[in-house]
Amino acid sequence: MSKKRTNLPVQKNERLDVTFQDLTHEGAGVAKVDGYPLFVPDALPGEEADVKVVKTGKNFGFGRLMERHTTSTHRVDPPCPIFHWCGGCQLQHMDQEAQLALKRDQVVNALHKYMGRDDIPVQKTIGMDEPWAYRNKAQVPVAERDGELIAGFFAKRSHHIVDMDHCLIQGDQNDAEIQVVKNILKRYEIKPYDEVSGRGVIRHIVARNGRLSGETMVMLITNGEALPHKKKIVEAIRNEVSGIHSIAQNINKKKTNVIYGERTEILWGEKYIEERIGKLRFALSPRSFFQVNPVQTEVLYEKVRQFAGLRGNETVIDAYCGIGSISLFLAEEAKKVYGVEVVGDAISDARKNAKLNHISNVEFSVGKAEEVVAWWRAALGIQADVIVVDPPRKGCDEKLLQTMIEMQPERIVYASCNPATLARDLGILSDGGYEVKEVQPVDMFPQTVHIECVVSIRRKDM
């Protein structure tokens, strides 16, 4: 039997007057009572409020805001009518200045917590002139409510779907496509997937757009091969979705929260749509990973190029290269670029994108970055002058970090979507003889708590 928690400074159902000091990574206000953190939604730093304790744990608790006594000068009315329920955005109630400052603070705090460093230059977050309607891809779960198909985003901290007719951070075209497809599925009475029973047909609707090309891809993620009225649904999408270029079906039979299954079929049209970043063209297949904010992606990649400091004679390794977007961005100023990615389809896309842009000084390989880069060095004698890493949220594999340290490139450029794992990896590189010169946060995801960073790293003897 577990011991009852004692000596907490707060008790469940207790009412308290508090002052909020910070925000969590999920956007909740943080107040401390005798050092004990309380996390309270819809509260901003500096605000004073009456809160009710709704849950306590050993190290922190949760509260509900009952009455706000003071209001932050950075508070704004969220324009989205479902903001307080939907989990898609967390910061619409903050003005843009405060959002950008908060995101920089996330990076500064992570460097302090995981590296013990307060001296690394962290620049102001680069924001957007128009921080709305920026996403070029929507993937929306569906469910059934009162016998009718609904589609939206999950409510905060749950798998309860908030039905959505309009999303302010989606591109207008994406937004319209989701609604059209939702209505088509309703028309043909397609049963939504049920997470509990594992029954039903449609799991997610995905819409992706090329901002400059105007090409559109719609993908239906289904709970098996069968899609009732498939031909009629495809014909309806062709007739009713503007700019449709490709219609795909992804099959996911597993009882899982993972969105995509292994098999994808093209039901109509082309396998690819085109997106552009700067002067480069990219062919995107249904499962291609590509940044969802094309405007800020160009800002991010220009910063990567600046930190790489290429002069035309360098060998560059791009670990976690995806469909080759950063590799191709750097190839114009490098002697040779090697890209590695564990997803085979992504490497196929990368090779296609190199041909599409008539770039010949790049070479792509399939495999785990930590294994392939080590093999390049040991078997082929490849010595990188610059290494670029853009890993998933879990950060770099430690074996890759050690291989990078042993390879001794002059410069490392680290792009990250997770300040905590970024700081952890920077600590390893610092211990291995590298100096973190500068961190540049880029607001790739306005109205949310997420932040992207690019870091300039130099060998200490340079």
Side-chain angles (χ1 to χ4, degrees):
M1 180 180 293
S2 61
K3 294 182 179 180
K4 185 177 180 180
R5 295 187 182 100
T6 58
N7 300 323
L8 293 179
V10 303
Q11 301 296 322
K12 185 177 178 180
N13 296 323
E14 184 179 1
R15 297 278 292 264
L16 301 163
D17 285 332
V18 299
T19 300
F20 295 101
Q21 303 167 12
D22 202 352
L23 290 181
T24 69
H25 69 280
E26 293 182 341
V30 180
K32 291 187 177 180
V33 181
D34 294 336
Y36 180 82
L38 273 180
F39 303 151
V40 183
D42 195 26
L44 295 180
E47 292 183 335
E48 299 173 0
D50 170 23
V51 303
K52 180 179 180 179
V53 180
V54 296
K55 185 178 180 180
T56 58
K58 181 179 180 180
N59 298 314
F60 55 85
F62 296 90
R64 180 183 301 122
L65 195 148
M66 307 303 291
E67 182 181 359
R68 191 180 298 112
H69 301 317
T70 63
T71 300
S72 170
T73 57
H74 294 294
R75 179 175 287 277
V76 295
D77 291 329
C80 178
I82 59 173
F83 165 72
H84 292 291
W85 299 277
C86 177
C89 296
Q90 302 84 33
L91 301 180
Q92 284 191 24
H93 59 318
M94 295 180 73
D95 63 30
Q96 188 70 358
E97 178 188 355
Q99 287 191 33
L100 297 179
L102 169 71
K103 294 181 181 190
R104 179 185 180 275
D105 287 346
Q106 284 184 28
V107 180
V108 170
N109 293 339
L111 295 174
H112 174 80
K113 180 177 181 180
Y114 296 100
M115 292 183 70
R117 296 282 299 276
D118 297 311
D119 58 333
I120 296 173
V122 180
Q123 306 301 332
K124 290 183 177 179
T125 307
I126 300 174
M128 296 185 72
D129 293 335
E130 296 293 335
W132 301 96
Y134 59 83
R135 290 184 62 95
N136 61 11
K137 181 182 178 183
Q139 48 191 37
V140 180
V142 301
E144 186 174 57
R145 184 172 303 151
D146 299 327
E148 184 173 295
L149 183 146
I150 63 169
F153 295 109
F154 291 122
K156 297 171 183 178
R157 306 180 67 85
S158 84
H159 266 220
H160 173 79
I161 292 176
V162 179
D163 197 20
M164 175 194 70
D165 293 323
H166 181 49
C167 177
L168 297 179
I169 65 171
Q170 291 294 340
D172 293 338
Q173 193 173 350
N174 261 0
D175 208 28
E177 288 153 12
I178 292 293
Q179 302 312 313
V180 168
V181 175
K182 180 170 75 169
N183 290 332
I184 290 171
L185 295 174
K186 284 183 182 180
R187 187 186 313 160
Y188 288 100
E189 298 181 343
I190 304 302
K191 283 288 186 183
Y193 174 72
D194 181 81
E195 285 187 336
V196 177
S197 69
R199 297 176 180 173
V201 176
I202 187 75
R203 301 173 71 123
H204 283 75
I205 303 168
V206 180
R208 170 179 256 169
N209 287 280
R211 286 294 185 91
L212 295 179
S213 68
E215 296 175 353
T216 294
M217 175 181 286
V218 167
M219 180 161 55
L220 304 175
I221 301 179
T222 58
N223 183 36
E225 291 87 353
L227 175 59
H229 309 290
K230 182 183 290 188
K231 289 184 178 180
K232 292 180 179 179
I233 289 170
V234 169
E235 188 65 23
I237 292 173
R238 287 181 60 190
N239 291 334
E240 298 175 38
V241 172
S242 175
I244 189 69
H245 198 72
S246 177
I247 303 172
Q249 178 185 4
N250 176 264
I251 298 155
N252 184 359
K253 299 179 182 180
K254 295 182 180 179
K255 201 170 182 180
T256 173
N257 292 333
V258 176
I259 294 176
Y260 296 104
E262 294 299 320
R263 186 153 63 91
T264 302
E265 296 180 359
I266 301 298
L267 303 181
W268 175 86
E270 304 298 324
K271 183 179 179 181
Y272 300 91
I273 63 169
E274 186 174 299
E275 180 64 288
R276 298 183 187 181
I277 300 295
K279 62 184 181 182
L280 293 177
R281 302 161 62 195
F282 295 95
L284 307 182
S285 63
R287 294 286 308 279
S288 293
F289 172 79
F290 196 75
Q291 295 283 7
V292 299
N293 186 335
V295 174
Q296 292 294 82
T297 297
E298 187 167 358
V299 172
L300 185 82
Y301 288 0
E302 286 292 353
K303 188 58 65 171
V304 169
R305 181 151 54 189
Q306 176 189 331
F307 285 170
L310 301 177
R311 298 177 295 275
N313 59 348
E314 291 89 355
T315 296
V316 179
I317 287 177
D318 179 12
Y320 310 100
C321 72
I323 66 169
S325 49
I326 290 178
S327 299
L328 300 179
F329 225 73
L330 298 178
E332 183 180 12
E333 298 177 358
K335 178 181 178 182
K336 180 79 174 186
V337 179
Y338 295 89
V340 57
E341 170 61 53
V342 72
V343 180
D345 286 348
I347 289 298
S348 296
D349 289 350
R351 290 168 179 158
K352 180 179 178 66
N353 289 325
K355 291 180 180 178
L356 188 65
N357 290 281
H358 309 290
I359 295 173
S360 58
N361 62 330
V362 292
E363 186 175 319
F364 296 106
S365 297
V366 179
K368 294 180 179 179
E370 59 271 20
E371 295 175 359
V372 173
V373 174
W375 182 81
W376 280 341
R377 177 172 180 262
L380 303 182
I382 293 173
Q383 178 60 46
D385 302 295
V386 179
I387 296 179
V388 178
V389 292
D390 186 8
R393 289 190 62 80
K394 66 180 181 180
C396 290
D397 184 277
E398 189 167 355
K399 182 180 176 182
L400 174 63
L401 294 171
Q402 293 303 327
T403 298
M404 290 161 60
I405 291 168
E406 291 168 8
M407 193 175 273
Q408 289 285 291
E410 294 178 9
R411 294 178 295 284
I412 297 172
V413 183
Y414 194 136
S416 169
C417 60
N418 185 337
T421 56
L422 169 66
R424 178 201 67 199
D425 292 351
L426 292 180
I428 294 172
L429 293 172
S430 294
D431 291 342
Y434 281 85
E435 182 180 1
V436 181
K437 303 294 288 185
E438 180 182 349
V439 182
Q440 177 61 70
V442 178
D443 191 12
M444 293 283 285
F445 315 102
Q447 318 309 328
T448 80
V449 292
H450 303 295
I451 181 65
E452 197 93 8
C453 292
V454 186
V455 186
S456 172
I457 306 163
R458 297 288 182 95
R459 208 170 64 216
K460 288 180 179 177
D461 61 1
M462 293 298 295

Coordinates of all heavy atoms in Angstrom, one line a residue, residues 23-25 91 99 101-111 419-420 448-451:
L23 N 5.3 30.2 -17.1 CA 4.4 29.3 -17.8 C 5.1 28.0 -18.0 O 6.3 27.9 -18.2 CB 4.0 29.9 -19.2 CG 3.1 31.1 -19.3 CD1 2.9 31.5 -20.8 CD2 1.8 30.9 -18.6
T24 N 4.3 26.9 -18.0 CA 4.8 25.6 -18.3 C 5.0 25.4 -19.8 O 4.5 26.3 -20.6 CB 3.8 24.5 -17.8 OG1 2.6 24.5 -18.7 CG2 3.4 24.7 -16.4
H25 N 5.6 24.3 -20.3 CA 5.7 24.1 -21.7 C 4.4 23.8 -22.4 O 4.3 23.8 -23.6 CB 6.7 22.9 -21.9 CG 6.1 21.5 -21.5 ND1 6.1 21.1 -20.2 CD2 5.6 20.6 -22.2 CE1 5.5 19.9 -20.1 NE2 5.2 19.6 -21.3
L91 N -1.2 29.7 -26.8 CA -0.8 31.1 -26.4 C -1.6 32.2 -27.1 O -1.1 33.3 -27.1 CB 0.7 31.2 -26.7 CG 1.7 30.3 -26.0 CD1 3.1 30.6 -26.5 CD2 1.6 30.4 -24.5
Q99 N 4.8 36.3 -26.5 CA 5.1 35.0 -27.0 C 6.6 34.8 -27.4 O 7.2 33.8 -27.0 CB 4.2 34.7 -28.2 CG 2.7 34.5 -27.9 CD 1.9 34.0 -29.1 OE1 2.5 33.2 -29.9 NE2 0.7 34.3 -29.2
A101 N 9.2 36.5 -26.4 CA 10.0 36.6 -25.2 C 9.9 35.3 -24.4 O 11.0 34.8 -23.9 CB 9.6 37.7 -24.3
L102 N 8.7 34.7 -24.3 CA 8.6 33.4 -23.6 C 9.4 32.3 -24.2 O 10.0 31.5 -23.6 CB 7.1 33.1 -23.6 CG 6.8 31.6 -23.1 CD1 7.0 31.5 -21.6 CD2 5.3 31.3 -23.5
K103 N 9.4 32.3 -25.6 CA 10.1 31.2 -26.3 C 11.6 31.4 -26.1 O 12.3 30.4 -26.0 CB 9.6 31.2 -27.7 CG 8.2 30.8 -27.9 CD 7.6 30.8 -29.3 CE 6.2 30.4 -29.2 NZ 5.6 30.1 -30.6
R104 N 12.1 32.6 -26.1 CA 13.5 32.8 -25.9 C 13.8 32.3 -24.4 O 14.8 31.7 -24.2 CB 13.9 34.3 -26.0 CG 15.4 34.5 -25.7 CD 15.7 36.0 -25.8 NE 17.1 36.2 -25.5 CZ 17.6 36.3 -24.3 NH1 16.8 36.3 -23.2 NH2 18.9 36.5 -24.1
D105 N 12.9 32.7 -23.5 CA 13.2 32.2 -22.1 C 13.2 30.7 -22.0 O 14.0 30.2 -21.1 CB 12.1 32.8 -21.2 CG 12.2 34.3 -21.0 OD1 13.3 34.9 -21.3 OD2 11.3 34.9 -20.5
Q106 N 12.4 30.0 -22.8 CA 12.5 28.5 -22.7 C 13.9 28.0 -23.0 O 14.4 27.1 -22.4 CB 11.5 28.0 -23.7 CG 10.0 28.0 -23.4 CD 9.2 27.3 -24.5 OE1 9.7 26.4 -25.1 NE2 8.0 27.7 -24.6
V107 N 14.5 28.7 -24.0 CA 15.8 28.2 -24.4 C 16.8 28.6 -23.3 O 17.7 27.8 -22.9 CB 16.2 28.9 -25.8 CG1 17.6 28.4 -26.2 CG2 15.2 28.5 -26.8
V108 N 16.8 29.8 -22.8 CA 17.7 30.3 -21.8 C 17.6 29.4 -20.6 O 18.6 29.0 -20.0 CB 17.4 31.8 -21.4 CG1 18.2 32.2 -20.2 CG2 17.7 32.7 -22.6
N109 N 16.3 29.1 -20.2 CA 16.1 28.2 -19.0 C 16.7 26.8 -19.2 O 17.2 26.2 -18.2 CB 14.6 28.2 -18.6 CG 14.1 29.5 -18.1 OD1 14.9 30.4 -17.7 ND2 12.8 29.7 -18.2
A110 N 16.5 26.3 -20.4 CA 17.0 24.9 -20.7 C 18.5 24.9 -20.6 O 19.1 24.0 -20.1 CB 16.5 24.5 -22.0
L111 N 19.2 25.9 -21.1 CA 20.6 26.0 -21.1 C 21.1 26.1 -19.6 O 22.1 25.5 -19.3 CB 21.2 27.2 -21.9 CG 20.9 27.1 -23.4 CD1 21.3 28.5 -24.0 CD2 21.6 26.0 -24.1
P419 N 14.2 22.5 -26.7 CA 15.3 23.1 -26.0 C 15.9 22.2 -24.9 O 17.1 22.3 -24.7 CB 14.6 24.3 -25.3 CG 13.4 24.6 -26.2 CD 13.0 23.3 -26.7
A420 N 15.2 21.3 -24.3 CA 15.7 20.4 -23.3 C 16.8 19.4 -23.9 O 17.9 19.3 -23.4 CB 14.6 19.6 -22.6
T448 N 1.5 28.8 -30.4 CA 1.8 27.6 -29.7 C 3.0 27.7 -28.8 O 3.8 28.7 -29.0 CB 2.0 26.3 -30.6 OG1 3.3 26.3 -31.1 CG2 1.0 26.3 -31.7
V449 N 3.3 26.8 -27.9 CA 4.4 26.9 -27.0 C 5.7 26.4 -27.7 O 6.8 26.5 -27.1 CB 4.2 26.1 -25.7 CG1 3.1 26.7 -24.9 CG2 3.9 24.6 -26.0
H450 N 5.6 25.9 -28.9 CA 6.8 25.2 -29.5 C 7.7 26.2 -30.1 O 7.3 27.3 -30.6 CB 6.3 24.2 -30.6 CG 5.4 23.2 -30.0 ND1 5.8 22.2 -29.1 CD2 4.1 23.0 -30.3 CE1 4.7 21.5 -28.8 NE2 3.7 21.9 -29.5
I451 N 9.0 25.9 -30.1 CA 10.1 26.8 -30.6 C 11.1 26.0 -31.3 O 11.5 24.9 -30.9 CB 10.7 27.6 -29.4 CG1 11.8 28.6 -29.9 CG2 11.3 26.7 -28.3 CD1 11.2 29.7 -30.8

